[in-house]
Every structure is written in C-alpha cells, then in structure tokens.
Amino acid sequence: MIGWALAALLLAAPAAAQRVEGDRASAQGVYEAEVPVRSQAESERETAFARALAQVFGKLSGDRAITSRPGIGQELRRAEQYVDGFDYRQDESVGASGAPSFRTTLVVRFKPDDIDALVDALGLPVWPQPRPKPVVWLAIDDGKGPRLVGLQHNNVARPLLQRASERGYRLGLPNGSAAEQAAVGAIWRGDTAAIARLSARYSPPMQLVGKLYRGGAGWKADWIFVDNGRVLSRWSEEDVDARRALATGADGGADALIKRYAKATAPSQPVAQRIVFSGVRSGGDYLRLAAALQRMSVVRAIRPVRATADRLELDLDLLTGLPGFRRMADEAVLLEVEGGDELTPVYLLR
C-alpha cells in the first residue's frame, strides 16, 4: 500500500474531484469535452470553447491532426454557436510534496445534430461507433519492483484513462486477482500470448500491454497493442513527467484502432461550382453577400463571373461541392429559389 501511495504521488493523480455546487460535472460521449481553464471569465470561456470543439472533432474522426484540415480553423473560431450548454468543475490534486492544488475544468456540451452536419459538410472522416473498450495490462516500477495496475488502483491509471476518453474511446482495467497480479512478469517480458490467455475472460479480445519505469532523467513507457492475438503496434515514449508518459498509451492505442477500423478519407479537393445570387442591388448588398460566403468554411475561393442589375454570378471553390454548400447556407441570409441536379442554383440574398 505504501508503494502504491508513492506511485500515486509520482503520477500526481487527482485524489478527489468535486463540484462547487450540485453534482459533479463530467463529459459524457463524443459530443462533450473537458478543457482546463484559468478562470470562469467570458474571454477565457470563448477560447476554451474552441479547444473543446477541436477535442470533439478529434473524438469523432480519430484524427490527432484534425485542426490542420481545411475549414476546421474557421469553425473553431465560432465554436460558441454550436454549444448546447456548459458547466464548471473544480478538481483537487495532491502534488509530490503533499500540498493540495486546484484546477478548474470547463465541461462543454455541443449540439449533436449541428456537429454531425458540420462534419458532413467539411467531409471529415468518421470513426464508427460503438467503439471497443480494450483492457489495459499495465505494470509500473517506481524503483521497488514492477506491480500490476488493477481496478483498485484506477487513480494511478487516471492520466491514461482520461487521455483515452479525450481520444473518443474507453479503456478498462483488470480486476487485479492473484493470478493477474502474478502476470506482471509476462507484462515486463512483453509476452502478449500469455496476457491474451489471461485476458480471455474480458471482452473484447483487445489488450493494451504497457510498462512504465524510470529511464534517464524521467520515465519511459513501452507499449504493445494486441487485437485478437495479433500485435497491431509497438511503441515507446520517454518524458520527465510520468503522467504524460502514461498518457501516450492511450494515443498509441487509438492510432492503432483507427488505422484498422476507421473510415478514413483523403482530404477533399475543392469543387468549382457556379452559383447565381439575386437581390444584389448595391455595394452594401455585395458586402453582405461576401461576408456570408466568407463565413462558410466550405467556401475556399470566390471568383466573380458576371453581374447584372440585381444578379451576381460567381464561381465558388467548395470543399464538399454543392451539397456541402447547401448544408451550411444560412436560410435567413441565402435562400435557394432555383436549382437542381442539372440547373445552376440561384440563391436570393435576403
């Protein structure tokens, strides 16, 4: 018990978490996210909304580099319009010195239908649900010999479990029976066959096998991801912070799952589409139209073609073609009055 207490301090796992008022708030599912904030000020919250939306995009797609995709940055800047609700939580942690510290977390809930429409319009890849819950077979050696991290030691594994949640899936821990405790040697050797046999009682037949130990000036983690007896990936990470080294297991596990199961799509190339806009009678109308088009993240370029008394014909480069444009057009500003599969669409500027 003393050894596990030391491990918990070294990992700086949260010792307790509580709401200032009411029940404890936490993110549930892929359309919710948790982000740390420095305060509850409005300016801080607006920035946090963008980080939370980026996390949701990452959960839905499984892509760690999702923010580099075309159109994402533009949507992150207006993340607030997709927010369904939010709450704050104050977490208490105990550092290596034993002194308590507090961190404020913003829990954000987004509108699922709006997010789904946005993902569709931007042509993002989607990691299908339901998603598997692999079992983590983790051994930690803090200098007193390796020990299994079982269900009763979930606080020690919290950085790993939390990072998996941020990536859009969950990890489970073994119960920690005597037979499982005795499997520490197999974990340390990387004997995936022995671990797979021991894990047969759990479902699905997926294991994340890892060992965390002192290495150089910090910590080193070695990981193996196994699916139905087949090794999908092996990797190692080093970090001065044990929590960050531990979290790398969740990232590698997610990457292995996505590579095998996600419906990956190549980045979309913009599609040129001619569209006629009516009701453009003045310079002010033109500026309103230009502003509306620039707010649409599917619009990548605008090229004027022809102008008449109250109509403007434009060639638009659209990230996901006309269907994406139709999904993102705000009917309060642009109303489609003519169009079809064979006709040039006509939109009325309201």
Side-chain angles (χ1 to χ4, degrees):
M1 292 300 294
I2 293 174
W4 277 121
L6 176 60
L9 288 173
L10 288 170
L11 292 170
Q18 58 187 10
R19 288 280 312 283
V20 177
E21 297 178 4
D23 296 331
R24 185 176 187 270
S26 62
Q28 305 292 328
V30 296
Y31 298 100
E32 300 183 11
E34 299 183 7
V35 290
V37 291
R38 292 171 295 184
S39 72
Q40 297 187 20
E42 183 177 356
S43 58
E44 179 76 7
R45 186 165 61 244
E46 290 174 356
T47 302
F49 282 158
R51 289 186 283 130
L53 182 55
Q55 191 179 125
V56 167
F57 282 146
K59 286 182 179 183
L60 287 166
S61 67
D63 186 354
R64 273 203 268 182
I66 192 67
T67 55
S68 65
R69 284 183 173 256
I72 293 295
Q74 193 170 339
E75 294 303 330
L76 295 183
R77 288 191 288 273
R78 49 173 175 259
E80 186 173 5
Q81 74 182 57
Y82 302 112
V83 173
D84 192 36
F86 64 90
D87 215 332
Y88 289 97
R89 185 183 73 237
Q90 189 174 68
D91 298 320
E92 180 181 351
S93 301
V94 178
S97 65
S101 62
F102 298 90
R103 184 179 74 170
T104 301
T105 299
L106 177 65
V107 181
V108 188
R109 301 177 296 279
F110 291 96
K111 303 170 185 175
D113 290 345
D114 289 1
I115 297 300
D116 285 344
L118 190 56
V119 166
D120 195 26
L122 293 175
L124 301 182
V126 175
W127 185 7
Q129 297 190 66
R131 297 170 184 175
K133 184 181 179 181
V135 178
V136 180
W137 294 90
L138 171 67
I140 297 179
D141 185 355
D142 58 9
K144 293 180 168 52
R147 286 154 298 171
L148 178 74
V149 179
L151 194 59
Q152 67 270 39
H153 309 122
N154 64 316
N155 268 350
V156 176
R158 191 175 300 279
L160 174 66
L161 304 180
Q162 178 63 32
R163 182 56 182 158
S165 176
E166 292 171 1
R167 291 296 304 272
Y169 75 116
R170 298 175 64 200
L171 290 168
L173 293 170
N175 291 328
S177 65
E180 291 172 347
Q181 294 284 350
V184 167
I187 295 174
W188 218 254
R189 295 192 307 272
D191 187 345
T192 57
I195 297 301
R197 288 193 296 270
L198 189 62
S199 193
R201 60 177 296 192
Y202 300 106
S203 181
M206 293 181 180
Q207 300 89 41
L208 175 61
V209 183
K211 60 181 183 180
L212 179 71
Y213 53 96
R214 293 283 190 179
W219 294 81
K220 185 174 182 179
D222 298 330
W223 302 99
I224 309 172
F225 191 86
V226 184
D227 182 1
N228 203 23
R230 177 185 174 190
V231 174
L232 296 187
S233 183
R234 296 176 184 265
W235 68 101
S236 297
E237 299 285 349
E238 294 185 54
D239 202 294
V240 294
D241 190 320
R243 295 168 300 178
R244 289 198 297 264
L246 196 55
T248 62
D251 281 326
D255 293 343
L257 285 168
I258 292 159
K259 184 176 181 180
R260 185 163 189 183
Y261 295 106
K263 296 177 180 178
T265 59
S268 300
Q269 295 297 320
V271 177
Q273 173 67 50
R274 184 158 297 183
I275 299 180
V276 176
F277 297 92
S278 63
V280 185
R281 301 182 177 88
S282 66
D285 289 338
Y286 175 78
L287 292 175
R288 281 201 305 123
L289 173 61
L293 295 176
Q294 289 168 3
R295 284 195 300 269
M296 298 173 67
S297 52
V298 294
V299 178
R300 312 309 296 167
I302 303 172
R303 293 184 297 277
V305 177
R306 186 178 299 108
T308 60
D310 68 342
R311 291 163 70 93
L312 180 62
E313 196 169 331
L314 301 176
D315 277 348
L316 304 180
D317 286 350
L318 304 177
L319 190 60
T320 48
L322 187 57
F325 183 87
R326 283 175 168 149
R327 281 189 290 269
M328 296 198 75
D330 183 355
E331 291 189 355
V333 180
L334 294 171
L335 177 66
E336 187 171 6
V337 292
E338 297 178 36
D341 294 337
E342 304 298 329
L343 300 174
T344 299
V346 178
Y347 280 79
L348 172 65
L349 177 66
R350 292 182 161 185

